[in-house]
Amino acid sequence: MSFTMQTPQRPLPGAFLATPAVSRYQSGPALQPPALRSNSSTSLRNDVPAGTVSAPAQSSAGALTQNLSKEMKPVERAARTINETLTQEMRYPELDSYVGQGISSDYDLPASSAWAPFQKVNMYDIPDKIFEQYNKAQVSTMMGLFAELNHAWISIDNALYLWDYTHPSPELIGFEDQPNTITAVKLVVPRAGVFVAAITHLLVVATTSDMFLVGLSCQAGSAGDKVVSLYQTRMQISNKGMDVNVIAGSAKTGRIFFSGKADNDVYELTYQQEERWFQNRCGKINHTTKGFTVLAPTFSFSSFGQKAPQEHVVQMVVDDTRNLLYTLSSRSTIRTFHIKANNTLDLVITRTLSGIFGNVAHMISRSDLLIPGTSIVSISPIPAQEASKLHLMATTSTGCRLFLSATASYGWSLGDNTSAPTSMQVQHVKFPPPELPGSGQPQQAPSNQLMGYSGSPSVNLQSKSLKPTRSAFRFSPGYFLCFVPKDPQAATDTLFLSSPDSGRIARPQDSSQLTRYSEFGTWLSLGSRAEDVGLASPAFYAASTPTGFGNELAVQYDKPVPEIVILTNTGVHTIRRRRLVDIFAAAIRYGGGDEGLEGEIKKFIRLYGRGETLATALAVACGQGSDVASDSRVARITDPEVLEYARKAFIEFGGKPILNENSVVDQTIPAVDNVRPSPRHEGLSLYISRLVRSIWKAPIIQESVTPLGGLAVAPTVKLSKIQDIQRELTKLQEFLNANKSFIDGLAGPEALGQARTKQDEVALQAEHRALHSLVLLISDIIEGISFVLVLFDERVDEIVLSLPDTIRQQVRQMNYEGLFCTSAGKDLAKELVKAIVNRNIANGSNVDTIAEALRRRCGSFCSADDVVIFKAQEQLKKASEAGSTSEFGRNLLNESLRLFQQVAASLSMEHLHGAVQQFAAMAFYAGAIQLALNVAKESDRGNRALTWIADGRPEQDPRKALFETRKRCYDMIHQVISVVDDVSSREPEKIDGLYTSTAKRRNEAYNVIDNSDDEVFQTDLYDWYLSQGWSERLLEVRSPYIITYLQRKSADDFAHADLLWKYYARTDRLYEAAAVQLQLAKSGFALPLEARIEYLSRAKANASTYSPGVARQSRQVMLHEVSDLLDVANIQDDLLHRLKADSRISPERKPQVVKELDGPILSLTELYNKYADPGSYFDLCLLIFQGADHRNPADISATWQSLLEQTHAETVERGEPQPYEAVAEQVRSLGGRLNLSESTFPLSTLVPMLERYALEYQRNVGPATWVLDTFLDLHVPFEPLLAVLEALFYNDEAPFQGRNRRIIAADVLYLVQRWYQSSARGGGGGGGGGAGTGAGGIGGAGGGRLFGGDAVAVGVAQTLAAVQQVLARGGGGEDAEAVELCQTLRVRIEQTLR
């Protein structure tokens, strides 16, 4: 337990406690203002340990601040919360406050590995090459670490080897240039200016004869590793007889100190770039024996008699923060040296072991751990940034830690480097942890324990858990490593590690007690002997002052995780410090069920408070937790169950806001200002503040001078760092967005419905205000970082130089907080934006890139409208200089228009008027019109001016002002149109068949006008056209608003009606186009029949096409009407052409007939009675029958008979082709046009008619099957054809009687064969088509049903039997083949049926 004794048991010798001086370092919790420890503050916390210091926003003082700034903007309120949180984090107690005068043994040794403060990450084997060299050793070997370089070293006799222990197969770097045995090796930082910049370190190598300085260069490798190279410096000194074993270096001054086993003196190795008078480049100075010089010989008296072993230095450490050098001798004497300038070193304090134990005797009566025989095994300096009073920690061979402070003659040595301390005393003793169960060591009796003050836990003075301690190390902020060889027979160490529990130190559970020195400890078995220990990560510090220095929680997301490297005789072990967020994630992962997990959460709340627990849970839910994977790689924890439980912990354990009704005194102060937000708000503010702490107060830029005298501007924080912050904030933003419905204060207005009382409602309102402010701040920070990244993508030095002096000074002083949260920061950002644009314009670069980047990445943070306007005006200027007629000039004009359009909403009338005038002056009429249209539309985005026009343009209406604003834009367009017309009227439209530039510009302008969708503009334009008397221009407009004009005029004018349907067609309103075309075809306009047919054809196509918004039934009705009328028109057109070519009509009569037919479409009755029937145009008569749905079989049969006779006669008269060919072609042609109608194309009539015609007129002239082929070519189905042929076959009527019956039988056989082949191919009972297989073949059976069904197949088989009998009577060769084919078909059919 750690406490500060208010009254020491005995006066401490050498401690000037009565010196009347007031310390400036009274920052311990016991001396903090009572407001932070008030009972009211702790009583209002939600499950927070008593005495916990909550965020300042939750104190009464914070409530008062809220009252005074109730008009504060949300982002400003959030910024204040972050500042208060950061301030509170900086109040973390300094080391002196909890490691004060007294004793303690307060350890927490968790049984669960999830709570272990350290974690073993990896173990790197020593390379085989080292063992090969080791086997050759003859005298001695030593090993050590250069942990900051990721390298280890080993000396084997006279050779020194280095290797990268993180590399799987490292390359050995050797130093073998001298013959003597190496006794000590140390890596130091060289003095500035002595070596070239590439030499980053010096290797000090001590041998039995000389000491060498070896230059070392460390560069970053391509794979992220560190590449080390050694260089000869030709610097060495002689050290014969000294047996140097200890070397130390000052990183601040580059000075090198050393000592040997021959004496107890401290030497310094001096070195310089060049030799000087009476001074070599390298020398040594003895700082303790002043009478000797570097030239004096060294004597050894060991041979003259037996004496006690020579006391010598065994450890030497440098504290650069206080300019002190500490040495530990072989007799446990600690000496303190003051490092002064001019290569001087003064011994100021010597403390023997007995003197140190004398100090301890004033604190405890007796302890077996601090008795004669106990020695000090190691010392570790405590830097001034970590503690103002404590200077040094010494570890005894029994594991006790002695914290020593040094004082000057006037009081504490408070880090004043110019003055040296004069005395040193023990300030605190930290005893070892309890002994391990089952260790075999006796347990301590109660009489050997001291009770702490105020009922604190007892201090165990007799624990031998760390006995014997072989070596120990301490790293800031208090990481303690103690190596204990538990088994003297085995050369192995057990490692004890401990670290301060910064969570409990920052928030003690009991405010009435002094802060305890709480530590978490753990044991690790190395299985080998430790040779050296180093810190691979940068030295820890959370602040540059003792107050706040050790706050590990504050920097757990901001700084690299500390990593300690331990070199043993078997390999290199890496130990990683586990952050609280890692412990929380591990506790969740290994908690053991929901009940165990809930217990872990409650344990966290009990130890660290609800706010800290929620901040940690939020971090884990956002993916901050990490663990060592199975492959020894540290990776982020992405286990969904862990993230989900962390999310639930943040939501379910978030607590509630509390209204402090006792604070509501003044009724003028809103009750919402007296609400303390929930611990969830505290956790969120803690997490945000820890993410941004490194940049919050940091300036954005830092200026420096280049070697050539120029200005260099660089970010104060690495861009990679702020990108990492932005990435983590984005994850946090996504988490809050995804879970806002579950979080009170972010769930929205519906959460107020859950409030039971007015007080609950007020508390929820305050919670929402607080959380919403933080959410907005997160968004602003993300966008602000994006702006900084955009800024540094440019040449920042040129941008800063281009700023006015006052603005430049403000930018130089601007920090990230100001940029994120203040209006002044946003104003400076706008100035930077302008400077960026100016620079890009001056360099001829594309400014649009940066403008788009600003709009895309941080649009709400700083608007780029002014930048775009400026760029557009600059493009206009460049276009006027380049000439508007050149291609480059036109490109500049188009670019200017594009930029103006981007900011049309914010473009003033002055800017618009100027731009339109300049565009028109450079003949960019289309651009001027387009820009005016864009500005008009943006000025009335709700289109309220259109509703004002629809309502009759009432006066005294606020919408009129919107119309007037748009009218000002339209008036500019009218002026441009007048200019266009005036210029184009003075120049020809074409020269040599090509459009002139003026004509092209005019067409571009009118295209913009016609394509505008601004109905208000179109209405105003038509009004202006009419006022100018330009009604014909309405027909040139390509706009849906012109339709009403054209519809009104199309009733009386064919040209307007024709234009109307074309407009409909161009706008894909095909149904309306078809309607207009149908009306034109039926109209009384003087249109030829060909034009009407064309209209009907177009109407049919348009009506057949889908039109949006038109019912299918409506299209079908129109399509039916158009199709019927088109059929009639086609018949009329056929009649017209027949009559024109008919020589029977007299020349006097023909024009009249042509005029009657080449006009309006007549009825079918009129066409038949007046023209088709009198003219004996039998094919047209049949078409008329079809169109009129005339179904009289006698008329149809007679007409077909007349058509056949007429065709035969005309063909015979002409002499070609064969009559049967003409007849067949006529049948095929009419069959297609009649659609094989049963009424006008009756098979029962046509088949017998053609069979008789073939028998009587064309016998043996053409193919025997031409009749059936004619019908099959029309795809007439087989079954009705067969039925007709069967009727002819069975009726046995003339002329198909006797031998002629075989003709029908052959046709039946041919048709059945074709049908069989078709059905065998899968055609079933479908129609014929194509030549198919000839009469000589049948074809194979297919997969379809034969003849479409079994019943039909049976009938066909029966018919074939009758046909076979008829054909068998013939007896000829052809008949025999037919009989065989018939028999084969029957067999096939019967087989299929079976």
Side-chain angles (χ1 to χ4, degrees):
M1 128 108 215
S2 171
F3 57 88
T4 301
M5 295 178 120
Q6 299 181 7
T7 304
Q9 295 181 0
R10 301 177 188 174
L12 294 179
F16 302 97
L17 302 179
T19 303
V22 179
S23 174
R24 294 178 292 135
Y25 296 86
Q26 296 179 356
S27 57
L31 301 178
Q32 291 184 357
L36 298 178
R37 304 287 187 179
S38 63
N39 294 330
S40 60
S41 175
T42 56
S43 62
L44 291 174
R45 290 183 58 81
N46 291 270
D47 296 335
V48 179
T52 300
V53 182
S54 62
Q58 299 189 14
S59 65
S60 58
L64 179 59
T65 306
Q66 291 179 353
N67 295 336
L68 297 177
S69 58
K70 56 186 176 183
E71 300 300 328
M72 188 178 292
K73 296 179 180 179
V75 174
E76 294 174 348
R77 180 178 293 106
R80 184 191 62 189
T81 300
I82 298 301
N83 280 318
E84 291 172 342
T85 304
L86 289 173
T87 301
Q88 179 60 31
E89 296 265 80
M90 289 300 297
R91 292 176 182 156
Y92 181 87
E94 63 176 297
L95 184 65
D96 300 320
S97 66
Y98 57 88
V99 186
Q101 184 177 356
I103 60 175
S104 66
S105 62
D106 189 15
Y107 294 91
D108 191 344
L109 305 177
S112 172
S113 61
W115 285 81
F118 293 93
Q119 187 176 25
K120 188 174 181 180
V121 179
N122 205 344
M123 193 277 211
Y124 303 97
D125 293 331
I126 296 177
D128 293 338
K129 297 178 182 178
I130 297 296
F131 287 112
E132 293 175 3
Q133 297 296 327
Y134 177 80
N135 292 332
K136 301 176 183 178
Q138 297 179 357
V139 180
S140 68
T141 60
M142 291 187 299
M143 300 176 69
L145 278 172
F146 301 146
E148 60 269 36
L149 307 182
N150 289 343
H151 276 64
W153 62 268
I154 184 171
S155 67
I156 302 174
D157 296 336
N158 67 319
L160 175 66
Y161 299 102
L162 285 70
W163 75 93
D164 184 350
Y165 58 78
T166 63
H167 199 282
S169 57
E171 178 183 355
L172 294 186
I173 304 169
F175 174 70
E176 304 170 321
D177 297 343
Q178 56 83 34
N180 301 303
T181 302
I182 296 174
T183 59
V185 177
K186 186 67 176 181
L187 183 72
V188 300
V189 177
R191 181 183 292 118
V194 177
F195 303 99
V196 296
I199 303 297
T200 57
H201 297 78
L202 283 179
L203 269 181
V204 185
V205 181
T207 70
T208 56
S209 177
D210 301 283
M211 290 184 69
F212 298 88
L213 296 184
V214 181
L216 186 147
S217 171
C218 181
Q219 305 293 334
S222 59
D225 54 345
K226 295 179 180 180
V227 180
V228 169
S229 303
L230 300 183
Y231 299 90
Q232 275 286 2
T233 65
R234 301 188 185 279
M235 291 183 178
Q236 67 183 78
I237 62 171
S238 174
N239 65 343
K240 290 183 178 180
M242 296 180 62
D243 196 9
V244 174
N245 66 323
V246 177
I247 306 173
S250 169
K252 184 171 70 172
T253 63
R255 296 172 67 177
I256 302 172
F257 306 97
F258 64 94
S259 184
K261 295 181 180 179
D263 53 38
N264 201 28
D265 293 341
V266 174
Y267 298 84
E268 180 175 357
L269 190 157
T270 62
Y271 58 97
Q272 58 192 18
Q273 190 173 16
E274 298 177 352
E275 292 187 1
R276 300 176 186 174
W277 288 99
F278 307 107
Q279 193 172 7
N280 295 326
R281 291 182 62 199
C282 197
K284 69 174 181 285
I285 301 173
N286 188 331
H287 286 296
T288 51
T289 307
K290 299 298 184 181
F292 289 86
T293 65
V294 294
L295 300 177
T298 302
F299 297 97
S300 175
F301 298 97
S302 59
S303 60
F304 293 96
Q306 297 295 327
K307 290 187 177 182
Q310 173 65 44
E311 182 180 11
H312 61 274
V313 177
V314 296
Q315 187 180 1
M316 184 183 298
V317 292
V318 176
D319 182 0
D320 277 326
T321 63
R322 294 187 174 93
N323 289 337
L324 296 178
L325 171 69
Y326 304 101
T327 66
L328 174 65
S329 75
S330 56
R331 298 177 183 174
S332 298
T333 298
I334 298 175
R335 291 186 296 175
T336 304
F337 296 83
H338 186 218
I339 303 174
K340 301 171 67 174
N342 300 321
N343 290 338
T344 59
L345 185 71
D346 294 339
L347 175 61
V348 293
I349 302 174
T350 300
R351 295 291 287 169
T352 63
L353 181 61
S354 59
I356 293 173
F357 283 179
N359 283 164
V360 176
H362 291 274
M363 300 182 189
I364 60 175
S365 58
R366 185 182 181 279
S367 172
D368 292 339
L369 302 180
L370 298 173
I371 59 175
T374 302
S375 62
I376 296 177
V377 296
S378 70
I379 55 175
S380 301
I382 300 175
Q385 293 91 342
E386 185 175 359
S388 57
K389 299 177 182 178
L390 298 177
H391 286 55
L392 191 69
M393 186 194 82
T395 306
T396 69
S397 57
T398 56
C400 295
R401 283 175 278 170
L402 311 178
F403 292 87
L404 297 95
S405 61
T407 57
S409 57
Y410 51 83
W412 296 104
S413 175
L414 302 179
D416 185 2
N417 297 333
T418 60
S419 60
T422 58
S423 66
M424 178 180 288
Q425 54 278 333
V426 177
Q427 189 75 10
H428 188 92
V429 180
K430 182 78 171 184
F431 285 90
E435 297 177 30
L436 294 175
S439 62
Q441 297 176 350
Q443 301 294 321
Q444 290 76 19
S447 60
N448 292 332
Q449 295 180 349
L450 291 181
M451 296 299 295
Y453 293 140
S454 304
S456 298
S458 60
V459 179
N460 189 342
L461 304 180
Q462 306 299 332
S463 173
K464 298 180 181 179
S465 59
L466 299 182
K467 184 179 181 180
T469 295
R470 188 174 61 83
S471 62
F473 298 85
R474 182 189 187 274
F475 301 102
S476 296
Y479 305 146
F480 176 60
L481 289 82
C482 186
F483 296 91
V484 183
K486 288 294 185 181
D487 185 1
Q489 303 300 323
T492 60
D493 288 332
T494 300
L495 172 61
F496 174 74
L497 302 97
S498 67
S499 65
D501 189 357
S502 54
R504 282 190 284 178
I505 292 174
R507 292 170 170 82
Q509 298 182 4
D510 189 356
S511 61
S512 63
Q513 298 292 324
L514 298 176
T515 304
R516 298 163 55 191
Y517 185 11
S518 302
E519 284 188 297
F520 265 117
T522 186
W523 291 88
L524 289 178
S525 177
L526 298 178
S528 53
R529 178 183 175 87
E531 301 292 340
D532 197 4
V533 177
L535 190 64
S537 56
F540 176 89
Y541 67 94
S544 57
T545 59
T547 303
F549 179 91
N551 194 350
E552 292 185 89
L553 300 182
V555 297
Q556 57 182 325
Y557 318 119
D558 183 55
K559 291 185 178 295
V561 179
E563 187 171 291
I564 300 170
V565 183
I566 302 173
L567 174 65
T568 70
N569 53 4
T570 59
V572 180
H573 302 260
T574 55
I575 308 296
R576 176 177 176 269
R577 169 69 164 133
R578 300 182 72 195
R579 305 169 298 170
L580 186 63
V581 65
D582 303 330
I583 294 175
F584 187 93
I588 291 178
R589 174 179 283 187
Y590 310 113
D594 289 341
E595 295 182 0
L597 291 175
E598 185 174 352
E600 297 289 346
I601 300 298
K602 291 180 179 179
K603 180 179 179 181
F604 264 92
I605 294 175
R606 184 177 68 256
L607 291 177
Y608 306 118
R610 192 176 291 265
E612 186 65 54
T613 301
L614 294 175
T616 308
L618 179 60
V620 173
C622 293
Q624 286 281 9
S626 60
D627 199 358
V628 177
S630 58
D631 57 353
S632 299
R633 178 177 52 88
V634 179
R636 292 260 181 128
I637 295 178
T638 58
D639 188 346
E641 294 184 2
V642 175
L643 301 184
E644 173 61 19
Y645 199 85
R647 183 194 72 87
K648 291 173 60 178
F650 178 75
I651 294 173
E652 297 177 2
F653 291 88
K656 295 183 179 298
I658 297 176
L659 173 63
N660 187 0
E661 300 183 16
N662 296 326
S663 301
V664 182
V665 179
D666 189 353
Q667 296 297 327
T668 61
I669 300 176
V672 72
D673 290 331
N674 292 294
V675 174
R676 177 176 296 102
S678 67
R680 183 186 293 110
H681 171 266
E682 179 188 354
L684 179 58
S685 61
L686 273 172
Y687 184 53
I688 297 173
S689 66
R690 289 170 180 174
L691 289 177
V692 303
R693 71 185 310 274
S694 60
I695 67 171
W696 189 252
K697 296 294 183 181
I700 296 176
I701 66 171
Q702 58 182 355
E703 296 182 2
S704 60
V705 179
T706 64
L708 298 178
L711 176 68
V713 179
T716 56
V717 181
K718 291 183 179 181
L719 297 182
S720 58
K721 174 66 176 178
I722 65 174
Q723 286 175 328
D724 292 340
I725 295 173
Q726 185 185 46
R727 191 178 302 111
E728 298 303 330
L729 285 172
T730 302
K731 292 180 182 177
L732 174 60
Q733 186 182 53
E734 294 171 352
F735 173 84
L736 295 176
N737 288 336
N739 296 279
K740 61 183 179 181
S741 59
F742 307 106
I743 299 174
D744 292 341
L746 293 180
E750 59 272 12
L752 293 176
Q754 302 175 3
R756 299 180 180 179
T757 63
K758 180 66 176 177
Q759 289 79 0
D760 291 345
E761 183 177 344
V762 172
L764 275 176
Q765 290 175 353
E767 180 79 357
H768 170 75
R769 184 179 70 170
L771 290 178
H772 181 65
S773 299
L774 291 177
V775 170
L776 293 180
L777 177 63
I778 293 171
S779 178
D780 280 1
I781 294 176
I782 292 173
E783 290 189 345
I785 291 176
S786 296
F787 171 76
V788 174
L789 295 176
V790 171
L791 177 65
F792 282 102
D793 284 342
E794 303 289 323
R795 291 293 303 273
V796 188
D797 49 354
E798 296 180 9
I799 294 171
V800 172
L801 282 174
S802 66
L803 296 172
D805 291 340
T806 55
I807 300 298
R808 178 180 172 185
Q809 181 61 25
Q810 294 174 8
V811 171
R812 189 184 297 118
Q813 297 174 351
M814 180 174 62
N815 59 18
Y816 283 92
E817 178 193 3
L819 181 66
F820 298 151
C821 309
T822 64
S823 57
K826 294 186 185 337
D827 293 339
L828 284 178
K830 291 182 180 179
E831 295 295 333
L832 287 170
V833 169
K834 292 179 181 178
I836 292 172
V837 173
N838 288 333
R839 175 187 170 275
N840 281 272
I841 291 175
N843 294 338
S845 302
N846 185 8
V847 182
D848 183 63
T849 302
I850 186 64
E852 288 298 327
L854 288 169
R855 185 186 297 273
R856 182 180 67 257
R857 298 167 66 179
C858 47
S860 64
F861 186 78
C862 57
S863 173
D865 285 356
D866 293 338
V867 179
V868 178
I869 293 173
F870 185 84
K871 171 61 179 174
Q873 292 174 334
E874 185 67 18
Q875 298 295 83
L876 265 178
K877 181 180 178 182
K878 289 183 178 180
S880 64
E881 295 172 353
S884 61
T885 58
S886 66
E887 182 179 357
F888 179 64
R890 302 301 293 182
N891 290 337
L892 291 173
L893 288 173
N894 281 301
E895 177 66 11
S896 177
L897 171 62
R898 188 184 68 81
L899 294 173
F900 274 128
Q901 287 177 320
Q902 287 182 4
V903 292
S906 58
L907 200 63
S908 64
M909 282 295 168
E910 291 75 16
H911 282 134
L912 175 63
H913 188 265
V916 168
Q917 281 190 330
Q918 293 182 69
F919 281 153
M922 287 183 280
F924 191 37
Y925 310 119
I929 295 171
Q930 186 63 61
L931 179 59
L933 287 173
N934 285 120
V935 174
K937 184 177 181 180
E938 291 295 333
S939 66
D940 181 23
R941 303 190 72 174
N943 210 13
R944 299 181 64 197
L946 181 61
T947 61
W948 177 74
I949 294 174
D951 292 343
R953 308 191 180 198
E955 297 291 337
Q956 308 301 324
D957 193 302
R959 295 174 294 177
K960 182 179 180 181
L962 296 174
F963 173 78
E964 294 296 337
T965 300
R966 299 178 71 164
K967 186 71 167 62
R968 292 173 63 186
C969 300
Y970 302 149
D971 289 342
M972 297 181 195
I973 297 176
H974 301 162
Q975 295 173 8
V976 174
I977 293 175
S978 299
V979 173
V980 172
D981 292 343
D982 181 59
V983 173
S984 59
S985 64
R986 289 184 271 127
E987 295 184 12
E989 184 176 7
K990 292 183 178 180
I991 298 178
D992 296 335
L994 300 177
Y995 283 103
T996 62
S997 60
T998 302
K1000 292 180 181 178
R1001 305 290 180 263
R1002 179 183 183 277
N1003 292 337
E1004 291 174 357
Y1006 277 99
N1007 281 336
V1008 174
I1009 293 172
D1010 293 340
N1011 294 328
S1012 173
D1013 60 352
D1014 188 347
E1015 188 172 353
V1016 178
F1017 163 67
Q1018 297 288 357
T1019 303
D1020 181 77
L1021 181 66
Y1022 303 155
D1023 292 342
W1024 185 67
Y1025 279 168
L1026 292 175
S1027 67
Q1028 301 293 319
W1030 298 340
S1031 57
E1032 70 280 0
R1033 284 201 176 185
L1034 297 178
L1035 302 179
E1036 301 175 5
V1037 176
R1038 296 295 178 262
S1039 167
Y1041 312 110
I1042 197 63
I1043 293 177
T1044 54
Y1045 281 77
L1046 296 177
Q1047 286 177 340
R1048 186 164 56 248
K1049 295 181 177 292
S1050 62
D1052 302 321
D1053 184 73
F1054 162 74
H1056 286 81
D1058 188 66
L1059 182 61
L1060 180 59
W1061 78 258
K1062 289 180 179 178
Y1063 181 82
Y1064 278 138
R1066 290 179 184 178
T1067 56
D1068 292 331
R1069 300 173 63 177
L1070 301 180
Y1071 179 80
E1072 290 87 344
V1076 176
Q1077 290 162 342
L1078 176 61
Q1079 294 303 319
L1080 282 172
K1082 295 165 60 176
S1083 69
F1085 295 133
L1087 295 176
L1089 180 61
E1090 183 180 1
R1092 297 177 188 271
I1093 292 175
E1094 180 181 358
Y1095 281 131
L1096 288 173
S1097 299
R1098 292 177 180 273
K1100 184 177 181 179
N1102 291 332
S1104 301
T1105 305
Y1106 169 74
S1107 296
V1110 179
R1112 181 179 180 183
Q1113 183 178 3
S1114 301
R1115 289 192 295 110
Q1116 289 177 344
V1117 170
M1118 177 177 289
L1119 185 61
H1120 180 72
E1121 181 181 0
V1122 170
S1123 299
D1124 290 347
L1125 192 60
L1126 181 61
D1127 291 341
V1128 176
N1130 286 327
I1131 295 172
Q1132 184 173 332
D1133 186 59
D1134 289 340
L1135 280 172
L1136 177 62
H1137 286 86
R1138 294 281 184 90
L1139 289 171
K1140 284 181 179 180
D1142 199 335
S1143 59
R1144 298 176 296 172
I1145 305 175
S1146 64
E1148 296 81 10
R1149 171 67 177 161
K1150 186 170 291 187
Q1152 179 64 31
V1153 174
V1154 171
K1155 182 179 180 182
E1156 292 174 357
L1157 289 176
D1158 195 13
I1161 300 174
L1162 305 178
S1163 65
L1164 289 174
T1165 301
E1166 191 173 0
L1167 291 176
Y1168 180 81
N1169 292 328
K1170 291 182 65 175
Y1171 304 103
D1173 188 48
S1176 298
Y1177 305 129
F1178 299 113
D1179 55 340
L1180 300 181
C1181 290
L1182 289 171
L1183 292 175
I1184 292 174
F1185 290 160
Q1186 173 77 7
D1189 198 20
H1190 184 70
R1191 296 176 177 269
N1192 191 321
D1195 293 341
I1196 293 171
S1197 178
T1199 304
W1200 270 107
Q1201 186 65 43
S1202 300
L1203 177 61
L1204 292 181
E1205 294 173 356
Q1206 184 185 57
T1207 303
H1208 179 80
E1210 292 177 351
T1211 305
V1212 171
E1213 184 179 354
R1214 289 195 304 269
E1216 61 178 357
Q1218 290 293 335
Y1220 84 89
E1221 293 177 344
V1223 169
E1225 182 60 30
Q1226 184 71 268
V1227 172
R1228 277 194 292 266
S1229 175
L1230 274 177
R1233 295 188 65 178
L1234 295 173
N1235 295 323
L1236 302 181
S1237 172
E1238 294 181 359
S1239 58
T1240 56
F1241 195 79
L1243 294 177
S1244 59
T1245 300
L1246 290 178
V1247 172
M1249 188 182 295
L1250 289 176
E1251 290 283 3
R1252 283 194 296 271
Y1253 170 76
L1255 177 64
E1256 295 173 359
Y1257 296 99
Q1258 298 294 302
R1259 189 168 187 176
N1260 299 325
V1261 174
T1265 59
W1266 73 266
V1267 174
L1268 291 180
D1269 288 340
T1270 299
F1271 289 101
L1272 292 178
D1273 288 346
L1274 289 172
H1275 298 284
V1276 175
F1278 293 105
E1279 188 171 359
L1281 275 177
L1282 182 61
V1284 174
L1285 290 175
E1286 286 178 342
L1288 285 174
F1289 178 77
Y1290 286 117
N1291 289 340
D1292 197 20
E1293 297 177 352
F1296 303 107
Q1297 294 176 330
R1299 290 184 61 85
N1300 290 342
R1301 191 180 181 193
R1302 287 182 300 169
I1303 297 173
I1304 302 302
D1307 285 348
V1308 170
L1309 178 60
Y1310 173 75
L1311 182 63
V1312 170
Q1313 179 187 4
R1314 288 286 301 274
W1315 193 1
Y1316 179 83
Q1317 293 169 352
S1318 176
S1319 60
R1321 291 193 301 267
T1333 304
I1338 296 176
R1345 299 184 63 191
L1346 196 63
F1347 302 113
D1350 293 346
V1352 178
V1354 171
V1356 170
Q1358 295 173 354
T1359 302
L1360 285 176
V1363 167
Q1364 183 177 355
Q1365 294 177 1
V1366 172
L1367 293 175
R1369 300 190 192 113
E1374 293 182 359
D1375 292 340
E1377 292 178 0
V1379 170
E1380 183 180 356
L1381 176 62
C1382 189
Q1383 178 64 29
T1384 302
L1385 282 173
R1386 288 181 59 196
V1387 171
R1388 293 281 181 86
I1389 294 171
E1390 291 173 357
Q1391 289 176 350
T1392 303
L1393 291 176
R1394 287 198 298 268

